[in-house]
Amino acid sequence: MNYGVIYRNNEATFETSTANIFGFQAVNHGIESSFLDQVRELAREFFHLPTGEKQKYARPSDNFEGYGNDMVLFDNQLLDWVDRLYLLVHPQDQQKLRYWPENPVSFRDMLYDYTARLRHIENQLLKAMARSLSLPEDSFVMQFGERPSMYARFNYYPPCARPDLVVGLKPHADGSGITILLQDEQVEGLQLLKDNQWFRVPIMPYALVVNVGDQLEIMSNGIFKSPVHRALTNSTRERNTFAMFCAPDPAKEIGPVEELVDERRPRAFKKIKNYTESYFHYYQQVKRPIDAVRV
Ligand SMILES: O=C(O)CCC(=O)C(=O)O
Ligand SMILES: [Fe+2]
């Protein structure tokens, strides 16, 4: 597994080639450990509230935004062992504050703050990833547009009596451009699939796990890979993680960066808009939407 990013002088720089990477852990990203502790603490406090209190922010059955559990779209689908709070956090004028917890009291302020910090880190990473392929640094950022989306998903995995039978999150690849994940600082569970084998993603308490999502795989013409991953459950301890899905403006057409298309590496993906629109339709069937946009 390639975990090669190191921040230097406030700029993300990769130590090794990023070709074929699918994820890395970012350290020295500039977010103070105390703030990350606070983020985790507030997320835990929310999930530990009585059910009635959390239900105030419940998602409607036909939408994924709000508090709830796995959406059921098919009779025979696998169910994830997870509670989640899923919120659009950017662009700001599309936020639906009725789903944003007011309890714990500082939850909303934390989320505003965290979003702003991650927006900055997202930009730095996308530029560094472009530079690492000898592209103009705005090559990916430009495709994200002026109004990129950011979705926050807080995942709460309660202990599960049969971790041998039940997964926290079924195998999937993210539909984002990149996903920036704050893992639980103690309890492991995330695994990536490579060469038909599952590899654990080790805990680095204050690092941010960055996974390539499908849309960056498309933009990079397949040079970056969006990894299939899953989250396991365990029988004794709860696990809390917080994913931020950073994606292009759904109204903008995206596609492989022209400089990355040549005879040696022909165009691998079609141009597409609003990639994530039917994401859950695929997710619930453990299928990959990226297969539908291959050339
Ligand atoms: O909880 C984890 O470790 C993984 C989360 C994840 O993959 C997701 O939310 O898409
Ligand atoms: Fe994921």
Side-chain angles (χ1 to χ4, degrees), residues 3-293:
Y3 286 114
V5 76
I6 304 289
Y7 277 82
R8 264 196 234 101
N9 305 329
N10 227 359
E11 198 180 69
T13 312
F14 291 88
E15 300 251 293
T16 52
S17 154
T18 57
N20 299 315
I21 67 154
F22 35 84
F24 50 84
Q25 304 228 31
V27 296
N28 298 330
H29 43 63
I31 304 186
E32 306 80 18
S33 310
S34 57
F35 182 55
L36 296 179
D37 285 336
Q38 195 199 354
V39 171
R40 288 178 168 126
E41 187 51 37
L42 288 167
R44 279 190 189 116
E45 272 179 45
F46 173 75
F47 286 110
H48 290 167
L49 290 172
T51 307
E53 184 62 26
K54 290 182 286 196
Q55 286 298 344
K56 290 182 185 165
Y57 311 101
R59 69 170 178 82
S61 61
D62 59 348
N63 201 332
F64 54 75
E65 198 166 350
Y67 167 72
N69 41 29
D70 203 10
M71 193 184 294
V72 178
L73 297 181
F74 300 94
D75 288 342
N76 58 350
Q77 80 178 46
L78 285 176
L79 274 180
D80 294 334
W81 189 266
V82 66
D83 275 2
R84 46 175 83 117
L85 174 67
Y86 204 170
L87 301 169
L88 177 142
V89 293
H90 192 273
Q92 202 164 357
D93 59 10
Q94 287 180 14
Q95 292 169 351
K96 298 194 185 102
L97 289 181
R98 62 181 177 281
Y99 298 124
W100 289 47
E102 287 183 288
N103 183 5
V105 278
S106 32
F107 190 94
R108 287 185 177 187
D109 282 344
M110 169 278 284
L111 191 51
Y112 285 127
D113 209 0
Y114 189 76
T115 300
R117 307 287 291 264
L118 256 63
R119 175 99 182 88
H120 177 67
I121 290 176
E122 172 197 4
N123 269 311
Q124 285 186 317
L125 288 172
L126 289 172
K127 287 181 179 173
M129 291 173 92
R131 284 197 306 268
S132 76
L133 300 180
S134 308
L135 293 172
E137 68 171 9
D138 283 336
S139 300
F140 300 130
V141 170
M142 251 161 36
Q143 293 210 41
F144 276 63
E146 303 274 294
R147 290 166 59 77
S149 322
M150 291 171 84
Y151 282 92
R153 183 156 85 189
F154 296 87
N155 299 306
Y156 167 71
Y157 307 92
C160 171
R162 293 301 302 271
D164 53 327
L165 295 178
V166 183
V167 288
L169 276 189
K170 49 189 156 284
H172 68 283
D174 293 346
S176 59
I178 54 172
T179 304
I180 305 178
L181 179 74
L182 184 63
Q183 281 214 85
D184 196 291
E185 74 275 43
Q186 289 185 359
V187 184
E188 229 178 72
L190 177 61
Q191 297 189 325
L192 304 190
L193 188 64
K194 186 172 189 285
D195 304 328
N196 288 320
Q197 255 190 297
W198 290 105
F199 290 86
R200 23 185 294 276
V201 176
I203 292 173
M204 297 173 63
Y206 296 106
L208 296 168
V209 175
V210 180
N211 280 337
V212 171
D214 290 353
Q215 296 193 68
L216 198 65
E217 176 164 345
I218 293 170
M219 289 179 202
S220 68
N221 202 24
I223 293 179
F224 299 139
K225 305 270 187 260
S226 168
V228 171
H229 53 284
R230 67 180 183 182
L232 299 184
T233 49
N234 76 80
S235 57
T236 53
R237 302 186 70 182
E238 67 173 61
R239 177 166 178 266
N240 286 275
T241 67
F242 175 15
M244 186 71 87
F245 301 102
C246 306
D249 176 349
K252 248 184 101 69
E253 188 173 74
I254 64 144
V257 170
E258 288 306 326
E259 290 96 324
L260 300 178
V261 179
D262 56 29
E263 273 159 28
R264 211 173 35 86
R265 185 181 283 278
R267 173 181 301 276
F269 300 99
K270 299 175 203 153
K271 292 189 175 165
I272 178 159
K273 266 190 202 166
N274 202 358
Y275 179 78
T276 49
E277 192 180 21
S278 48
Y279 180 79
F280 284 99
H281 189 82
Y282 289 93
Y283 176 84
Q284 297 301 16
Q285 301 178 85
V286 199
K287 289 186 181 158
R288 296 196 58 185
I290 200 167
D291 292 330
V293 294

